[in-house]
Amino acid sequence: MTRPWEDIAASLESLLTGPTSEQRFLASALKIKLAEDVPAFVAAAILGDSVAPAIMRPRSRREPNVDDLERIEAELDIDPAPVTGETSAEVVSAWIGARYIEKRLRGLRVLQPEEGDIVRTLGSKSDLMLISSVDGRGRVHMKGGRGLSAWPDNLQFVARRGLSDDYDALAAEVANRLKNEKSDYGPNSLLLDKIKRYRLDTIRPRAAALHELEDLLDAGDGSEGPLQKLIERHPQLLAGLVLGNNGTYVIPQQALGAEFRADFLVLGINSIGPQWVLVELEASKHRLHNKDESLTSAVRHAVGQIQEWREWLTSNVVYAQQELGLHGLTNKAHGLVVIGRAGPTVLRDPVRSQVREQQDIQIHSWDWILRQARQLADGAFPAAVYAEGIASAETAEELIG
């Protein structure tokens, strides 16, 4: 019993072994000489050239692309095609097409691709990919729904199920990468059932929460612990980070494996899907800048924490989404560091802006959090960090209501 790739290879080979029976019959009727070994692909072009005058088809004025034909023949170490100065551009192009079929056929026989095989692109440090199918042209398609495909001669075999000891580990690496690249969430699904207790009934902070936060910032010792506990009691203080008309979730102290624990994960479901923010809290007593306007070590440490969480997600995203119930969370989640005290300013902070633009991590003060919460409490639509999907002020009113 042949394997699918073998059937495809046989079909491709039939295009190279000689004219078809129909082509032979037509050539005989028209007294056109066709070599026994001319590929069917080329025979079609020769016949087309021969009948062109009878069917009033003008001859192409294009210059034959002989250089490209010679290049691919040299690459394949194959005898030159019988091309002369009289050979038309159409026939030369057909010979080039036939040579590429030969190239694909060789690649197919070397790769012997099967569904589930793990491969990577030749000559690069590209991501591992999992084969989903091979089409009739010999082109190899990959899993992931991104339209990714490649010719077999451009792929390198890595592992096959049942034959490679490290197959399961490599397949898990591919699955994690695909999860990081694509969120799967439907608003009517039960994918978020494990975190439903963290869904906010309202995103409007209570007046008591605003007063407590203000008192802590003005009269507290400025340490992180009391601020963390306050937000755990009043999660609406972070609700303005991401607004979503299908729900807002604020998850405290989320463990990410045995190594890490995120201070808060904030999720908003809106029209473009789940929007996650990784939140790292630092003490309000810390400064944001050194005297030379560079970021302090406390800020750099906080940014590094978020980067470490993203690195963990790179290898463990399937576990995070399926076992922890954090569906849609990937290593591309937005980041937010809350640290120190600072008032509004019309001046651009270049170092914080650079972190935001290059790493998608925003750095804001505790005063900014307080201002955000006040706007939300007053029924205003705050300038949220990540508010994609909010269509209008009316939508915001519905969310706040």
Side-chain angles (χ1 to χ4, degrees):
M1 181 177 179
T2 59
R3 292 171 289 181
W5 75 264
E6 292 176 316
D7 293 332
I8 296 167
S11 176
L12 293 177
E13 188 172 26
S14 70
L15 299 175
L16 301 176
T17 52
T20 66
S21 58
E22 292 86 354
Q23 289 171 336
R24 294 177 192 277
F25 174 81
L26 184 58
S28 175
L30 297 175
K31 297 184 173 13
I32 299 170
K33 185 176 181 180
L34 284 179
E36 289 296 318
D37 60 348
V38 66
F41 208 63
V42 179
I46 293 173
L47 290 170
D49 264 7
S50 300
V51 301
I55 62 175
M56 298 183 181
R57 191 191 75 185
R59 189 179 178 89
S60 172
R61 295 182 180 180
R62 292 187 298 116
E63 286 294 322
N65 201 347
V66 177
D67 289 344
D68 279 356
L69 176 59
E70 291 175 347
R71 177 185 56 78
I72 185 66
E73 288 176 339
E75 180 183 339
L76 294 172
D77 191 21
I78 199 169
D79 290 337
V83 169
T84 70
E86 299 299 316
T87 306
S88 71
E90 285 82 359
V91 173
V92 172
S93 293
W95 274 111
I96 292 173
R99 297 318 192 204
Y100 270 101
I101 290 175
E102 173 67 28
K103 185 178 181 182
R104 308 315 179 199
L105 181 58
R106 292 185 186 185
L108 202 57
R109 287 170 172 159
V110 170
L111 188 66
Q112 301 183 12
E114 295 185 8
E115 181 182 354
D117 283 358
I118 297 173
V119 295
R120 72 167 76 246
T121 305
L122 276 173
S124 71
K125 296 181 180 179
S126 59
D127 293 323
L128 295 175
M129 298 172 288
L130 203 66
I131 293 177
S132 62
S133 64
V134 184
D135 66 25
R137 301 172 302 155
R139 194 163 178 83
V140 181
H141 299 269
M142 314 301 171
K143 291 184 182 293
R146 297 179 294 130
L148 182 62
S149 62
W151 292 112
D153 45 286
N154 293 325
L155 293 172
Q156 178 183 29
F157 175 83
V158 176
R160 176 167 294 166
R161 184 186 292 110
L163 297 180
S164 306
D165 293 338
D166 55 351
Y167 179 87
D168 290 341
L170 293 172
E173 181 180 335
V174 175
N176 276 320
R177 180 176 60 79
L178 293 178
K179 277 285 187 181
N180 274 308
E181 292 176 353
K182 180 181 179 182
S183 300
D184 53 350
Y185 173 77
N188 297 320
S189 73
L190 298 176
L191 293 175
L192 297 172
D193 190 60
K194 290 184 178 181
I195 61 170
K196 63 183 179 181
R197 66 186 182 279
Y198 298 116
R199 178 168 177 157
L200 304 182
D201 294 330
T202 176
I203 65 171
R204 190 196 296 269
R206 296 179 180 177
L210 299 176
H211 290 310
E212 283 188 55
L213 178 55
E214 189 173 31
D215 287 345
L216 266 180
L217 295 178
D218 289 345
D221 63 6
S223 60
E224 176 189 337
L227 292 165
Q228 170 85 32
K229 292 177 181 178
L230 171 62
I231 296 179
E232 289 179 10
R233 293 196 306 274
H234 302 288
Q236 288 80 8
L237 290 170
L238 295 183
L241 301 184
V242 182
L243 302 182
N245 52 13
N246 282 314
T248 300
Y249 301 71
V250 178
I251 307 171
Q253 295 291 309
Q254 175 62 58
L256 300 176
E259 308 98 313
F260 306 111
R261 184 174 297 273
D263 290 337
F264 286 94
L265 301 182
V266 182
L267 167 65
I269 304 296
N270 53 45
S271 61
I272 62 173
Q275 300 292 309
W276 285 92
V277 182
L278 307 169
V279 182
E280 168 69 3
L281 303 183
E282 295 290 340
S284 63
K285 63 185 177 183
H286 288 316
R287 291 181 295 111
L288 275 72
H289 299 96
N290 296 310
K291 291 182 180 180
D292 62 359
E293 297 303 319
S294 62
L295 296 175
T296 63
S297 60
V299 176
R300 295 197 304 272
H301 168 77
V303 169
Q305 284 286 100
I306 293 176
Q307 292 288 48
E308 287 180 343
W309 302 343
R310 286 172 172 169
E311 289 175 10
W312 182 87
L313 284 165
T314 297
S315 302
N316 299 279
V317 68
V318 173
Y319 173 81
Q321 293 192 17
Q322 296 182 358
E323 300 301 322
L324 302 181
L326 307 175
H327 280 275
L329 178 64
T330 73
N331 63 0
K332 295 177 178 61
H334 310 299
L336 173 67
V337 171
V338 183
I339 184 171
R341 305 291 304 273
T345 176
V346 296
L347 300 177
R348 184 176 185 270
D349 185 333
V351 287
R352 283 198 284 170
S353 296
Q354 185 179 33
V355 173
R356 174 177 181 171
E357 292 164 5
Q358 295 182 355
Q359 302 181 50
D360 191 17
I361 298 175
Q362 296 203 36
I363 303 167
H364 285 290
S365 69
W366 281 100
D367 299 274
W368 182 86
I369 290 290
L370 181 57
R371 289 194 299 273
Q372 290 280 98
R374 280 175 175 162
Q375 290 180 39
L376 208 53
D378 291 340
F381 177 41
V385 177
Y386 300 106
E388 297 96 331
I390 301 302
S392 65
E394 288 77 12
T395 306
E397 285 297 328
E398 293 175 6
L399 293 170
I400 294 169

